[in-house]
Amino acid sequence: MPVPTHTFTPPFNIIRCSHAVLDVVDLSKSRAFYETTVGLHVEDSDDKTVYLRGSEEHQHHSLVLRKAPAAACNRLGFKVGNDGDLDKAATFFSENGIPYAFADQPFQGRTLQFTDPAGFQLELYASMDKRPHLLRRYDLYKGCHPQRLDHFNIFAPEVQGTIDFYARLGFRLTEYGEEDGPNGRIAAAWMHRKGNVHDLAITNGRGPRLHHFAYWVPTAMNVLHLCDVMASSGYLKNIERGPGRHGISNAFFLYVRDPDGHRLELYTSDYFTGDHDHEPLRWSLKDPRRQTLWGAPAPRSWFEEGSPFTGQEVRDPLFVADVTIAD
């Protein structure tokens, strides 16, 4: 599969990943998990919706929990450079047959919602209500001290097509996992806009589904502390994978599941990728250091389970990648 060439002049300017909107069944239980156990700050709430953010974030929210009959990912949000980029995006979507609509969203300025060619439901905005910086409010810190939303990872049934679409939007490939041999296919790709390893990771699998969303924490000790917190607060079984260090991204990580099964990663220690001539790093799917630098493979649930997008049919992938799975 071809590695995409970076587009320096995309049709509109996406700055970074911004927020996830999750449908949850028990809103109070989900709020308690993210606020008290993980340590996000609640900014606004009512009996249907809770808005949360990390300590470093000036924006009103980076996670929205919506009470719903079934658990799902409702939307993933990205911030664009300015309001004119929303009009440029609408023009691009219209010219390429991509469904879109402007929508009113609480605490956000003009918001453009669209469904990409693979069925992922996204929204773009240029402005959001601001809130006081809490970085130095150590008296408010809880859980693992999450600072900011870092990235999304999605299950895509057509990996190459999804990579190519986001490359058109200016996303730059940093690392990828590929089958060996002359006709090797890319099974996973890490793409960014903000100069770290990724804003969006694309993983081969049944989709469209959200694999996980991730918050950046200050140090590896924050990740280890969350293990202690979850083990002593009734969430031991919600620890799915880790702690460990990825080969891809070099990040120290922990994957946990929330009360509805949505997967959250706590993440730190990746690296800078802002230089325009940064060459993407290829990983063989057979390299045991790819999943975890120390060689430990991921569990089967990590490859098979994810959050569907509200109202979207989930499709089988075009191919099944031969990856190492923990027994």
Side-chain angles (χ1 to χ4, degrees), residues 195-270:
N196 65 341
V197 174
H198 57 316
D199 287 273
L200 182 66
I202 300 162
T203 300
N204 182 67
R206 297 185 67 245
R209 291 184 297 163
L210 173 66
H211 185 281
H212 69 264
F213 63 107
Y215 275 87
W216 191 89
V217 300
T219 72
M221 288 305 301
N222 297 90
V223 173
L224 295 176
H225 179 62
L226 183 60
C227 294
D228 289 335
V229 171
M230 293 184 68
S232 56
S233 59
Y235 288 109
L236 178 62
K237 292 183 179 179
N238 294 65
I239 300 175
E240 180 185 33
R241 180 186 175 199
R245 184 177 296 282
H246 286 306
I248 290 176
S249 81
N250 191 58
F252 199 84
F253 71 88
L254 176 71
Y255 292 95
V256 303
R257 308 294 286 272
D258 79 1
D260 286 278
H262 298 302
R263 183 181 289 108
L264 167 67
E265 181 183 17
L266 292 313
Y267 177 99
T268 191
S269 302
D270 62 344

Side-chain angles (χ1 to χ4, degrees), residues 7-322:
T7 300
F8 286 95
T9 56
F12 53 94
N13 184 23
I14 293 175
I15 300 296
R16 60 174 174 82
C17 64
S18 168
H19 58 278
V21 183
L22 301 181
D23 289 346
V24 300
V25 175
D26 189 328
L27 186 61
S28 61
K29 191 173 183 180
S30 291
R31 171 178 175 160
F33 176 79
Y34 284 105
E35 181 180 18
T36 304
T37 302
V38 176
L40 293 173
H41 300 274
V42 172
E43 285 302 320
D44 281 281
S45 66
D46 56 31
D47 59 352
K48 295 182 179 179
T49 314
V50 178
Y51 298 86
L52 306 100
R53 65 173 170 131
S55 298
E56 187 182 316
E57 294 172 322
H58 291 273
Q59 66 191 48
H60 178 270
H61 56 267
S62 56
L63 177 62
V64 182
L65 305 175
R66 304 181 347 143
K67 184 174 177 58
C73 178
N74 187 269
R75 289 198 180 270
L76 301 177
F78 289 86
K79 181 180 176 66
V80 298
N82 56 53
D83 205 59
D85 283 307
L86 298 176
D87 298 312
K88 292 177 182 178
T91 298
F92 173 82
F93 298 148
S94 179
E95 292 174 348
N96 288 274
I98 297 171
Y100 72 93
F102 284 96
D104 292 327
Q105 292 294 346
F107 310 107
Q108 294 173 201
R110 209 162 54 119
T111 300
L112 178 61
Q113 297 183 337
F114 70 100
T115 302
D116 79 3
F120 296 101
Q121 296 172 180
L122 310 175
E123 65 182 27
L124 307 173
Y125 75 96
S127 63
M128 183 185 290
D129 287 1
K130 296 292 190 292
R131 287 296 187 266
H133 207 211
L134 298 176
L135 178 62
R136 297 169 186 84
R137 288 294 308 274
Y138 295 106
D139 56 314
L140 300 179
Y141 279 30
K142 298 178 183 177
C144 61
H145 308 169
Q147 301 291 294
R148 61 181 181 268
L149 183 76
D150 189 85
H151 65 262
F152 307 127
N153 187 313
I154 54 176
F155 274 127
E158 302 92 17
V159 172
Q160 187 68 52
T162 306
I163 293 170
D164 292 342
F165 176 76
Y166 285 96
R168 290 179 69 191
L169 301 188
F171 284 75
R172 185 181 303 168
L173 184 70
T174 56
E175 304 196 26
Y176 62 102
E178 186 180 44
E179 297 172 321
D180 295 329
N183 299 311
R185 295 165 292 189
I186 296 176
W190 285 254
M191 307 182 79
H192 80 90
R193 286 295 295 163
K194 65 181 181 293
N196 65 341
V197 174
H198 57 316
D199 287 273
L200 182 66
I202 300 162
T203 300
N204 182 67
R206 297 185 67 245
R209 291 184 297 163
L210 173 66
H211 185 281
H212 69 264
F213 63 107
Y215 275 87
W216 191 89
V217 300
T219 72
M221 288 305 301
N222 297 90
V223 173
L224 295 176
H225 179 62
L226 183 60
C227 294
D228 289 335
V229 171
M230 293 184 68
S232 56
S233 59
Y235 288 109
L236 178 62
K237 292 183 179 179
N238 294 65
I239 300 175
E240 180 185 33
R241 180 186 175 199
R245 184 177 296 282
H246 286 306
I248 290 176
S249 81
N250 191 58
F252 199 84
F253 71 88
L254 176 71
Y255 292 95
V256 303
R257 308 294 286 272
D258 79 1
D260 286 278
H262 298 302
R263 183 181 289 108
L264 167 67
E265 181 183 17
L266 292 313
Y267 177 99
T268 191
S269 302
D270 62 344
Y271 59 91
F272 174 75
T273 62
D275 288 348
H276 70 278
D277 54 356
H278 173 89
E279 289 292 332
L281 177 62
R282 179 193 180 274
W283 291 83
S284 166
L285 296 187
K286 294 302 183 181
D287 189 337
R289 301 170 303 162
R290 180 182 65 88
Q291 293 185 25
T292 308
L293 189 64
W294 309 331
R300 184 169 297 278
S301 62
W302 198 85
F303 295 100
E304 296 181 354
E305 297 176 9
S307 303
F309 280 77
T310 307
Q312 290 290 327
E313 180 182 356
V314 175
R315 308 184 300 279
D316 288 332
L318 294 180
F319 70 96
V320 177
D322 184 11

